Amino acid sequence: MGIFSGLETIVETNHPLAAHTWYGLGGPADYFIRPATVQQLKEVVQRCRENKIHIFVMGFGSNLLVSDEGLHAAVIKLEADEFEHTNFEDDQIIVGAGVELSKLVLECVQKGLSGIEALTGIPGSVGGAVRMNAGGNFGDIGAVVESVTLMDNHGNVFEKKKPELIFDYRSTNITAKFILGARLQLASADPEQIMRTVKEAWISRKNTQPLNTRNCGCVFKNPRGVSAGALIDRAGLKGLQVGGAVVSEKHANFIIAEKGCKSRDVIRLMDVIKQRVKEQFDIELEPEIEIWK
Ligand code: EPU
């Protein structure tokens, strides 16, 4: 493995990506790389630059669709211990990008720290959640981010702080290739009260979303405050199927992957949905999920 010689322990070649995504779909990556340290990540980034290998950064793959053909690229996942630390400093947390968001929410509840309980049930890593400003009707993660530690595609590590950081609906002004970690500002509160909010968020999600299916959350962004799910529903598209991909009967902004589903089925179904919603409401739906091809 000339390109990554010396890094064989963290690099796998022709590695299937499906098992790393919630959808369980998609082909292999030429290189799948799990650096153990920031230094190793720098090394990997430099080798990729020198060899003109495109990099994709993977979180928990919960909002991701990988093409059936796979990727002639390097997919980098920050899941080693170095990226999974959580340090509490009074009412702030310094947290690694690889930490699971739902675990962090629970830890904060136990410690009586309020601020991210509305994110209950959102699957994903902290890095992925910050990157796309994950959230729902009751708030998003951007509201509590004080600063982020980033790495650019030259391997330089730097920090970006409030008020330089801008969080918008499902987007941020972070352009650096990697989010390594974040500092979150929470507030002390009664654990029982926080737990009540967590439970309410869970119940609401359970009642309105097809949780125990193969899906990747909401497929389209809500256009200007309208629910994309409500639009798709009003267009009569619940239950619509292309190959193994089906519009959920429970929430129309979810596409469920049934047995035998391919990524291309999901993409074709998304195209049909976009076209029908455009025809009926003259609204252009934009994907919320990332599609890697
Ligand atoms: N609605 C329908 N039919 C449907 C789905 C929804 O009529 O098939 C109606 C509901 O009855 C409700 C309204 O649309 O009146 C809003 O629905 P919901 O509360 O489910 O919220 P949403 O806007 O569809 C957003 C986020 C979800 C998040 C929920 C709850 C987006 C694209 N979606 O959905 O996020 O879980 O609020 O906080 O921003 C995700 O990002 O992956 C995701 C699922």
Side-chain angles (χ1 to χ4, degrees):
M1 205 195 296
I3 295 173
F4 294 108
S5 65
L7 296 168
E8 287 82 357
T9 52
I10 58 161
V11 179
E12 286 163 86
T13 51
N14 196 26
H15 183 81
L17 294 173
H20 296 282
T21 72
W22 272 53
Y23 253 145
L25 303 175
D30 283 358
Y31 305 100
F32 187 70
I33 309 178
R34 290 179 263 208
T37 61
V38 173
Q39 193 48 45
Q40 268 188 347
L41 175 61
K42 274 188 188 181
E43 187 64 43
V44 166
V45 167
Q46 271 156 14
R47 305 265 186 113
C48 287
R49 270 185 77 77
E50 283 159 16
N51 293 282
K52 298 194 168 45
I53 298 171
H54 184 78
I55 294 173
F56 289 97
V57 187
M58 180 175 257
F60 279 13
S62 52
N63 204 44
L64 174 64
L65 184 66
V66 174
S67 83
D68 296 315
E69 289 69 35
L71 304 166
H72 292 304
V75 172
I76 301 182
K77 192 166 182 196
L78 305 182
E79 64 171 21
D81 289 351
E82 184 149 335
F83 305 104
E84 288 205 350
H85 58 84
T86 310
N87 297 320
F88 289 85
E89 276 182 9
D90 302 323
D91 50 8
Q92 292 198 340
I93 332 170
I94 298 125
V95 62
V99 169
E100 189 173 350
L101 189 61
S102 55
K103 281 195 187 146
L104 186 68
V105 170
L106 279 185
E107 231 179 310
C108 289
V109 174
Q110 281 157 3
K111 289 200 160 20
L113 289 171
S114 166
I116 56 170
E117 58 274 20
L119 306 177
T120 297
I122 296 181
S125 64
V126 167
V130 171
R131 167 73 69 194
M132 64 167 303
N133 191 18
N137 294 338
F138 306 106
D140 48 45
I141 195 164
V144 298
V145 176
E146 273 296 303
S147 66
V148 286
T149 308
L150 307 170
M151 184 189 281
D152 65 18
N153 55 6
H154 291 265
N156 301 311
V157 176
F158 58 103
E159 231 189 327
K160 197 161 174 158
K161 289 190 183 143
K162 253 168 99 175
E164 259 189 291
L165 286 168
I166 299 170
F167 288 94
D168 234 317
Y169 173 68
R170 299 297 189 273
S171 70
T172 71
N173 64 341
I174 299 171
T175 52
K177 194 82 192 167
F178 299 92
I179 295 173
L180 303 180
R183 179 184 281 269
L184 310 181
Q185 176 68 58
L186 304 180
S188 297
D190 171 21
E192 279 184 22
Q193 178 56 44
I194 308 174
M195 200 58 197
R196 271 197 290 277
T197 310
V198 166
K199 280 190 183 148
E200 275 167 29
W202 253 115
I203 292 167
S204 146
R205 201 170 278 272
K206 205 163 149 265
N207 288 338
T208 57
Q209 300 181 0
L211 295 190
N212 48 1
T213 61
R214 255 165 77 199
N215 68 71
C216 69
C218 284
V219 171
F220 294 102
K221 293 183 184 175
N222 285 346
R224 282 166 271 112
V226 192
S227 163
L231 290 176
I232 300 166
D233 189 356
R234 275 165 52 205
L237 303 180
K238 278 185 167 175
L240 185 70
Q241 181 154 5
V242 171
V246 189
V247 177
S248 164
E249 294 281 358
K250 200 161 181 183
H251 194 300
N253 201 8
F254 283 67
I255 292 181
I256 295 167
E258 297 201 325
K259 207 160 174 265
C261 184
K262 296 281 178 200
S263 289
R264 70 179 69 92
D265 299 338
V266 177
I267 291 169
R268 279 171 49 211
L269 184 52
M270 286 174 70
D271 287 342
V272 176
I273 294 170
K274 275 181 73 164
Q275 197 186 329
R276 298 274 192 91
V277 167
K278 172 78 181 154
E279 280 163 13
Q280 291 216 21
F281 307 108
D282 197 24
I283 292 176
E284 295 274 356
L285 288 180
E286 259 183 66
E288 181 192 274
I289 60 170
E290 274 201 40
I291 300 174
W292 289 357
K293 50 189 173 194

